[in-house]
Amino acid sequence: MTDLTPTALWDIPRVGAPVAVAVDRLLVPVTTHDPETDEAETIVWWIDPDGKEKRRFAAGTISGLSVSRDRTQVAYLRKREEHRQVHIQPLDGGEATAVGELPLGAVGVKWLPDGRLVALATLWRQHPDLEATGSHEPDGRLSVRATEDAIYRYWDTWLEHVYHPVILDPADGSITDLTPGATRFWAWPSTNDIIGELDISPDGSLIAFSANDSDPPHRQLCWSAFVIGVDGSGLRRLDPESPGHSRRPRFTGDGSALVYGYQSEPDFYACPTRLIRHDLADGTEVELAPGWDRSPDRWEWMEDGGILLTAEDRGQSRVWRLAPEAAEPEPITEEGWASDPTVAPDGRIYALAHSLTRPPEVHRLEDGTAVPVTDFASVALGATGTARELTFSGGNGDPIQMWVIDPPDADPQEPLPLVHMIHGGPHGVFGNAWHWRWNPQILAGAGYRVALVNFHGSTGWGEEFTASIHGAWGDLPFQDVELATDHLVTAGLADPERMAVTGGSYGGYLTAWIISQTDRYAAAVAHAAVTSLPGMYASDVTSGRARAYGGEIWDDRAAVERWSPSAHAAGYNTPTLVIHGERDARVPITQGLELYGVLVAKGVPARLVYFPDENHWILSRSNSIRWYEEVLGWLQRWL
């Protein structure tokens, strides 16, 4: 078996979230990419619960599977001409048919009990109803945009669209906008699960959703939970006095209440999410599992009144069950990265599961273990190196987790060239998970020992650990990476003459900070790197900077510059590969260009790789393969 290469990584079929449609059937979307065109195609497969039988159900540019309440039809989005439109297809056979024609398409769809559909339709923000959006034709001669808002673009998109819930009737093709004229943001354009922020009551009379409820100029966003009648009446906010964020409302089985996730600190995106149960009759609320120091990211009610949820925990993503009246959830899974659980009519639970050594596949969750159901990836998966979990003493003497990936067939005790891969966020995690964009197996396959340090500020170890880096981005995380390096060198696992640091976004920030503070590394790779903290006021979202940086630049510029790599550029001596996408609004292109310009001006060996059609992430097949080749080439050159 050959080692995993960048091209082979893109040959691996990418398995999506399963949908349980019957006791004996799952729908599983699997996406592949054409090596000639880079275009993606998704095949939806029928899979039996043991994975022994499968057959094609649908194919094309398909996303967002939703099964009807009577389990006879499935709805999904399929691209037709320029936009994704709603289609329905019988589960027992037959062709897909389009339902309605939305002027700019939809971003998600769900079923009402009576066979109608609720879709989130995309509309022009300045023309926020179906008729106005349909008749609006932008002047192709003009490329100018103007705003007076604090939040006016996101990721790679100018915020010129809103999302309205609409009712689609397959019987007559009619479309009804429930919130005509509304101009609030429904969700960020890059959100993968916009429709996940919407739920329908069991009797089909109410729709609950979360939406941004901040007032112009939107200096501080406010995500709130709302309920509206399916006929468009009675729109009300569930949390009228709440200063924080409320999201993903879910109705109880009897429709009398719902649960939503609440973050109390609106300027801190990693503030722990708390589950709040809201009684619809009298508005009373109670927090569920108030003593639990983990932060759920998805949740659904179960038929027995329990809640099925996912949450990070010490470098793993577990599926949990919160039983009725229980003080804390109990984990259903232990090792690896589990997500997108779905419950079959017989109560069995299925989910995506993957790890640092295996790509995502559908698994059945039984007795604390994840039993594989699908095996699409093995046809293209090369050899992968072993992953081991180490714990060492980091900053402040705190225990810090580190994953170490060895090259396939390597002696686990042999000193090898070391490459740190530093995660972004900073409030994120390098978990026991397969990563398509920053895959450590690619580097391990090239002969490097790869270290993934979950430094102070990472998520999954509780609120105090996550918030410990506020106002000092370069302090404890830098100590953690340095102490990890010391640990590996002392243990004889790393060749001290052949070491590199690499990272993207905040990981790029920490890479730039590290090379401003030490010359011990032979090479660095800074992708979409934050290099000038004052310059990050050009980012798409600027709220929360004072908490993250230790002050605002107009109040205490010295405090901000204290942890800004550009203010310590005298220390830049490490050969550095700088990579950036032109369409990156999260970390503007000027950040990477400044780093590269300073390195070149100083005479430090440097290389700039510039992607004019990519954003914060490198997403196309050809560009991603080139990205990996550039990274591997730079490491080969200097290590």
Side-chain angles (χ1 to χ4, degrees), residues 356-438:
L356 284 162
T357 59
R358 298 293 300 178
E361 298 282 2
V362 176
H363 289 65
R364 186 173 62 253
L365 309 185
E366 292 182 351
D367 300 324
T369 62
V371 180
V373 172
T374 64
D375 185 22
F376 288 96
S378 62
V379 296
L381 181 64
T384 57
T386 58
R388 44 183 157 161
E389 179 184 359
L390 302 179
T391 301
F392 64 94
S393 181
N396 289 341
D398 296 331
I400 299 296
Q401 182 201 64
M402 167 173 56
W403 301 103
V404 175
I405 317 298
D406 291 336
D409 302 322
D411 181 344
Q413 300 305 318
E414 176 189 4
L416 294 174
L418 172 68
V419 177
H420 279 285
M421 293 181 71
I422 303 173
H423 73 68
H427 308 298
V429 66
F430 250 133
N432 186 12
W434 190 263
H435 206 301
W436 296 109
R437 298 187 316 278
W438 282 79

Side-chain angles (χ1 to χ4, degrees), residues 150-151 218-221 245 265-271 425-427 467 469-473 533 536-537 539-554 560 586:
I151 306 294
H218 309 290
R219 290 190 180 92
Q220 178 57 64
L221 299 179
H245 299 308
E265 301 175 72
D267 62 341
F268 179 30
Y269 69 88
C271 173
H427 308 298
I469 67 171
H470 285 331
W473 262 20
L533 296 186
M536 283 296 288
Y537 284 85
S539 178
D540 52 0
V541 179
T542 57
S543 61
R545 298 291 173 196
R547 182 193 293 260
Y549 298 163
E552 302 282 14
I553 56 173
W554 56 87
V560 178
R586 176 51 47 91

Side-chain angles (χ1 to χ4, degrees), residues 66-375:
S66 178
V67 177
S68 62
R69 299 287 182 96
D70 62 5
R71 299 184 180 271
T72 63
Q73 300 180 89
V74 63
Y76 51 75
L77 302 182
R78 170 181 271 162
K79 193 171 184 180
R80 192 168 76 245
E81 297 180 352
E82 296 183 40
H83 307 299
R84 290 181 181 269
Q85 302 288 352
V86 175
H87 291 69
I88 58 174
Q89 186 170 342
L91 284 169
D92 60 358
E95 296 299 317
T97 58
V99 182
E101 183 77 22
L102 296 165
L104 299 181
V107 293
V109 61
K110 287 190 175 183
W111 289 88
L112 287 165
D114 62 8
R116 293 181 298 164
L117 298 143
V118 179
L120 281 176
T122 304
L123 301 176
W124 291 110
R125 187 180 174 194
Q126 299 301 319
H127 307 276
D129 63 56
L130 290 168
E131 182 178 356
T133 285
S135 61
H136 174 63
E137 296 184 6
D139 189 338
R141 300 169 299 170
L142 291 175
S143 60
V144 63
R145 290 184 171 97
T147 188
E148 295 185 16
D149 288 338
I151 306 294
Y152 53 91
R153 60 179 183 154
Y154 185 80
W155 208 254
D156 60 3
T157 304
W158 193 271
L159 292 176
E160 54 191 356
H161 294 130
V162 291
Y163 304 99
H164 286 194
V166 300
I167 305 297
L168 302 175
D169 192 338
D172 58 15
S174 63
I175 307 173
T176 305
D177 185 348
L178 299 185
T179 57
T183 58
R184 302 294 192 187
F185 301 143
W186 276 97
W188 294 121
S190 68
T191 302
N192 292 325
D193 189 29
I194 296 178
I195 195 65
E197 298 298 318
L198 181 148
D199 196 36
I200 300 167
S201 64
D203 65 0
S205 64
L206 295 174
I207 296 171
F209 60 87
S210 63
N212 174 52
D213 194 38
S214 61
D215 293 320
H218 309 290
R219 290 190 180 92
Q220 178 57 64
L221 299 179
C222 180
W223 294 96
S224 301
F226 295 85
V227 170
I228 190 172
V230 75
D231 58 358
S233 64
L235 177 65
R236 62 187 177 94
R237 179 179 167 181
L238 294 179
D239 51 350
E241 306 301 325
S242 169
H245 299 308
S246 302
R247 57 173 294 262
R248 198 177 173 84
R250 287 293 182 271
F251 286 99
T252 56
D254 62 4
S256 65
L258 49 74
V259 64
Y260 63 87
Y262 178 65
Q263 292 179 291
S264 61
E265 301 175 72
D267 62 341
F268 179 30
Y269 69 88
C271 173
T273 297
R274 305 302 180 197
L275 293 179
I276 307 297
R277 187 184 190 280
H278 179 99
D279 189 281
L280 290 170
D282 58 17
T284 58
E285 295 190 334
V286 61
E287 181 179 346
L288 305 180
W292 191 46
D293 195 17
R294 292 297 180 263
S295 184
D297 53 23
R298 294 195 181 192
W299 48 88
E300 301 286 349
W301 287 100
M302 304 180 74
E303 287 192 3
D304 63 0
I307 297 176
L308 189 69
L309 56 90
T310 56
E312 294 175 9
D313 183 37
R314 296 168 293 174
Q316 318 281 353
S317 174
R318 311 187 198 278
V319 177
W320 310 71
R321 178 179 179 270
L322 178 61
E325 310 302 328
E328 290 189 359
E330 292 292 331
I332 295 176
T333 60
E334 294 293 340
E335 300 298 319
W337 203 265
S339 65
D340 303 288
T342 182
V343 182
D346 61 359
R348 286 189 289 185
I349 301 171
Y350 300 86
L352 278 185
H354 47 106
S355 70
L356 284 162
T357 59
R358 298 293 300 178
E361 298 282 2
V362 176
H363 289 65
R364 186 173 62 253
L365 309 185
E366 292 182 351
D367 300 324
T369 62
V371 180
V373 172
T374 64
D375 185 22

